[in-house]
Amino acid sequence: MQSGKEKMKKKRFALFFSLPVMLALVLLASGCSSTKFVEDGSYLLEKVVIKSDSKQVDGSQLMPYVRQNTNSKWFSLLKIPLGTYSMAGSDSTKWINRALKKIGEEPVIYDSLLARETCDDLRTALANMGYMNADVTVTEKTNGKKLTAIYTLHPGNPFFISEVNYDIQDEDIARLLDNDEERGRRLKSGSMFTVPALDAERKRLTAQLLDSGYYRFNKDYIRYTADTVAGKRDVALTLHLLKYRANNDMPETLHPRYTIGKLTFSSGDSDSLIHLREKVLRDNTLIEEGKPFSASDLQKTYNNFGRLQAVRYTNIRLAEATDTLQLDCNVQISTNKPSTVSFLPEGTNTAGNLGAAAALTYENRNIFQGSETFSVQLRGAFEAITKLEGYTNHNYKEYSIETKLSFPRFVAPFLSSSLRRKSGASSEFSLAFDMQNRPEFHRRVFSAGWRYRWSLQNITYKLDFLDMNYVYMPWISPTFKTDYLDNVNSRNAILRYNYEDLFIVKFGFGFSYTDNNDALRMNVESAGNMLNAAMAAMRKGTNEDGQYTLFNIAFAQYAKFDFDYAHFFEFDRNNSLALHAAFGIAYPYGNSRVLPFEKRYFSGGANSVRGWNVRSLGPGKFKGDKGAIDFINQTGDMKLDMNVEYRTWLFWKFSGAFFVDAGNIWTLRNYKEQPGGQFKLDEFFKQIAVSYGMGLRLNFGYFILRFDMGMKAVNPAYENSHEHWALLHPKFSRDFAFHFAVGLPF
C-alpha cells in the first residue's frame, strides 16, 4: 500500500502536469459561449490573415498595420482571457461576474470601418516599399457569430530608381557636400524606389549639416521630385536642398553657419557654486569655443554629464549673439548631495540553514569634486548550521569590508586628452577583506582590483587590468581534514587544492553587445602567466609539487573563455520566443592542475538547466551522493547551456513561460574523484541533460519576480532506464525542481 506521503507527491505531480490541460479545458468549456456577449448582427473577430499574391512580399511582416486584432492568446494558441470573460454571467451585481470580466478580456467585435482603414494603411505601406500601383482587398468569412478577416495584397511590380540628381541651391552647402563620398549616399541608381530610402538620405544630410554649423537647418529644406514615364517602372529622382528662409515673409538666403562663441558654466541650484572642478567641466563638454556648432557634440555633452554620479541634471542653453553668427553656450549643472548612507538587511536560507545578514554602505559621489565615487561597505552575516556531525562550532559567521574608488574617465598614462573625453570610460580601484568562520574551516580572502569600462554605441567593453586575490586558510577542522582532505581514498581528495592558501593574479577582457533582438557577451581571462615567466626568468626553484611559489604560496595559472548569446523573436505584443546558448571553458596549466573553486563551472539552477537544483548537475554522467559537502565535486572546467523559452502575457502584471533547457558541465582532465565527468568528443552528446517546465513572472517594470518549475526529461546520471528517460517515466519527488529568482534567466 502507498503511504500518505507518496500519495501527496503523486497529487503534486498530477497538478503540475495538469495545469496546461486545465487551461485548455477552461478554453473548451467557454469556447461555445465566447459569443454570448456578441449581439445579433455583429461578429466576433476570430482570426486575421494577411496573404500576398506575390512571393516578393511577406504579408506577415505587415501585421503592425492592421487596425483591429483578435483577442489575445496565451502562447499564441489559447484565448484564455476571452474564455475567462465569457464565463461571467450577465448579472453584474454578483462579484464573481465582475471579477471574471475584470480579469478576462472583452470580445473584439469586427468593425468594417477599421477594416477599410486597414486596407488604406496597407496600400500606403506597399507604396512606401516601392509598389506604387499596389492594391489591397479584404474578404470576410463568417461561421456563426465568428468572422475571419483575410487581407489580400496585390503588390504588382516594384519601381526602381533609374538616376539620382542633387539640386543643392545653397552654394556654400554645395561646396561642403562636394567632399561627400559616393558610398555614403543612401540613394543609388538601380535600387528600389522606397520611402525609407528617401527618408534615410534626408536624415543623413540633415545630420551632416547640423554637425557642420548649420544650427537652423532641418529636414524640411530637403524635398524630392520623381519623374516617371507612363507604362514604365523607372523613376528619375531629384533631391532638392532649398535655400534658407526665416519665415514666409522673408526672402531666401544662404543657410547661416554658426560657430560657438562664449562658453560658460553655471549652477542649476540655488547654490551659486558648481561642485565640480573646472577641468572636469571642460573635459566633459565637447562643445568648444570657435568651433562650428555640432548637434552630435551637444548630445554627447548631455550624455557625458548624464553618466556623472555627482550630476542630477544638465541644461544647455544656446543663444545667438547679436548681429553675429555665433552661439553663446551656457551649461547649467545641478549636482546631487554628495554623501549617502544605506542599510540593507536580508534573510538567508542555505540548504535549510536559516540566517541573517546586513550591510552598511557609505557612498560619496563627488569626493574629489570630479564626480569620483568613493564607497565603503561593512557586511556581517550569521547562519545557524545544523545536522553537521563531528564539528564543534555549528554556526557560520562572516565579516567583510569593501572599498571602491571609481573615476568617470580613463585613469592611465599616455592617453590623449581627446580619447579621455570621447571614450565615455570609467576606472575603478577596489580593496576588500572577507573573513569567514565555518564549522569546517576558517577562510580569509584579500582582494584588490583595477578595472576599466567604456562604451561605444551598443558595445560595452571591460578590461580587468589587475585582479588579485589572496586566500588564507588559518584553520581547518580535524574532522574535515581527515574525512575530505587527507584521506587519499576519499572522493573529495580533489578539494585539497581549494582548501590551501592560494594566490591569483589575473588579467581579463570582455565586451557585450545589446540591441532589441540580440544580446552577446564574450569574456577571456588568464592568470599566473606573468608570474610564471618572471619566476622562470629568475630561475626560481619549485616546491615538492613542482610549482613556483610567491611568499611560499603556489599561485594559480589558467586560461578561461566565456561566450553567451541570446536572440529574441517577437510574434506580437504579447508573445515572444527567446533562444539562448552559452559556452565556457577554463584550462589549468603550468603552475596549476586544478582550477580554483571560484573559477569552476556548475550547472543547474534558475539560470541554467532548470530541472536540477543549483550545483546538482554533472560533471558529465557523474552522480553525486547528495552529501553535505558533495556539491563541491559537482563542478567542472567546461560548461554548455542551451535554452528555448516561449514567453506570453497572461493578465495584469503576470506573464507565463514554457521552456526547454539542455546542457551540462565536464572536466578536461580525468579526475578519479569525479568518475564519468571528463569531456570526450565521442560521448559528451550522450551526457547532455534535458529538462522542461513552465514559469510564472510578476513584472513590475523596474524588476521581475520569477517562479520557475522544472522537470527532468533526460538525466545523464542514472542507475536505471526510468531515471535516465525521466520524460517517459516522470517521478515528482525525483525530477521536480522549483526556482525563485529576480529578473529573467537570459
Side-chain angles (χ1 to χ4, degrees), residues 528-553:
N529 293 330
M530 295 183 64
L531 287 176
N532 192 286
M535 293 294 180
M538 293 186 293
R539 298 183 179 180
K540 293 286 188 179
T542 59
N543 61 15
E544 58 185 11
D545 295 321
Q547 297 173 303
Y548 291 116
T549 61
L550 184 66
F551 308 120
N552 294 322
I553 301 172

Side-chain angles (χ1 to χ4, degrees), residues 46-64:
E46 177 70 11
K47 189 176 182 181
V48 176
V49 178
I50 300 180
K51 60 182 183 179
S52 173
D53 59 15
S54 172
K55 294 181 179 180
Q56 295 179 330
V57 178
D58 183 2
S60 63
Q61 299 298 318
L62 299 180
M63 283 299 295

Side-chain angles (χ1 to χ4, degrees), residues 319-426:
E320 295 183 43
T322 307
D323 299 328
T324 68
L325 291 179
Q326 288 190 338
L327 293 172
D328 291 336
C329 177
N330 177 251
V331 182
Q332 288 187 339
I333 303 294
S334 177
T335 54
N336 289 307
K337 293 181 178 180
S339 300
T340 60
V341 177
S342 61
F343 178 75
L344 180 64
E346 61 180 287
T348 62
N349 184 349
T350 306
N353 296 319
L354 301 179
L360 179 66
T361 305
Y362 166 79
E363 184 177 69
N364 189 312
R365 292 175 287 191
N366 196 25
I367 189 168
F368 301 131
Q369 294 194 342
S371 195
E372 301 89 355
T373 301
F374 174 75
S375 65
V376 178
Q377 183 184 81
L378 301 175
R379 186 178 185 275
F382 174 86
E383 193 169 80
I385 297 181
T386 58
K387 300 179 182 179
L388 207 57
E389 299 294 334
Y391 296 90
T392 56
N393 183 5
H394 292 279
N395 294 324
Y396 165 72
K397 299 177 182 178
E398 180 181 5
Y399 306 96
S400 67
I401 179 171
E402 182 181 23
T403 64
K404 291 182 180 179
L405 178 60
S406 178
F407 300 86
R409 57 190 178 275
F410 267 125
V411 178
F414 313 118
L415 293 180
S416 66
S417 58
S418 176
L419 178 61
R420 293 175 189 270
R421 298 175 63 188
K422 296 181 180 179
S423 61
S426 64

Side-chain angles (χ1 to χ4, degrees), residues 96-278:
I96 185 63
N97 293 333
R98 295 196 304 271
L100 288 172
K101 287 186 176 182
K102 186 174 182 180
I103 296 174
E105 187 177 75
E106 187 176 356
V108 175
I109 307 302
Y110 176 71
D111 189 328
S112 59
L113 176 60
L114 292 178
R116 289 195 296 271
E117 292 177 349
T118 296
C119 290
D120 293 338
D121 291 345
L122 290 172
R123 290 189 194 97
T124 301
L126 290 170
N128 291 342
M129 294 167 59
Y131 298 92
M132 308 303 295
N133 297 325
D135 192 19
V136 180
T137 58
V138 60
T139 303
E140 302 165 351
K141 291 187 176 181
T142 60
N143 181 15
K145 284 190 174 184
K146 298 180 180 180
L147 182 146
T148 298
I150 304 172
Y151 297 93
T152 305
L153 310 179
H154 312 283
N157 294 316
F159 282 61
F160 292 87
I161 298 174
S162 60
E163 59 178 292
V164 182
N165 299 301
Y166 285 78
D167 173 30
I168 311 298
Q169 300 176 13
D170 186 307
E171 297 85 353
D172 292 342
I173 292 180
R175 284 192 294 270
L176 178 66
L177 297 181
D178 279 343
N179 297 324
D180 187 23
E181 296 182 2
E182 184 71 22
R183 64 183 181 183
R185 297 182 177 181
R186 302 293 188 269
L187 302 176
K188 296 181 180 179
S189 177
S191 59
M192 285 185 62
F193 178 71
T194 66
V195 170
L198 303 184
D199 287 341
E201 183 66 356
R202 292 178 74 189
K203 291 178 181 178
R204 185 186 71 86
L205 291 175
T206 300
Q208 183 175 347
L209 294 175
L210 285 174
D211 286 345
S212 301
Y214 291 94
Y215 171 66
R216 294 196 170 277
F217 192 86
N218 62 72
K219 65 179 183 179
D220 292 335
Y221 286 107
I222 299 177
R223 300 177 183 177
Y224 292 98
T225 57
D227 295 328
T228 59
V229 177
K232 293 187 177 181
R233 293 178 287 110
D234 293 332
V235 179
L237 187 66
T238 302
L239 182 147
H240 304 277
L241 196 152
L242 308 180
K243 287 187 175 181
Y244 175 74
R245 176 178 285 177
N247 55 59
N248 293 333
D249 298 327
M250 300 295 291
E252 291 183 341
T253 63
L254 298 179
H255 286 268
R257 191 179 188 188
Y258 291 85
T259 58
I260 301 299
K262 188 177 181 182
L263 176 63
T264 57
F265 299 92
S266 63
S267 173
D269 302 319
S270 56
D271 186 352
S272 60
L273 297 177
I274 303 177
H275 302 285
L276 292 169
R277 301 193 307 273
E278 178 75 14

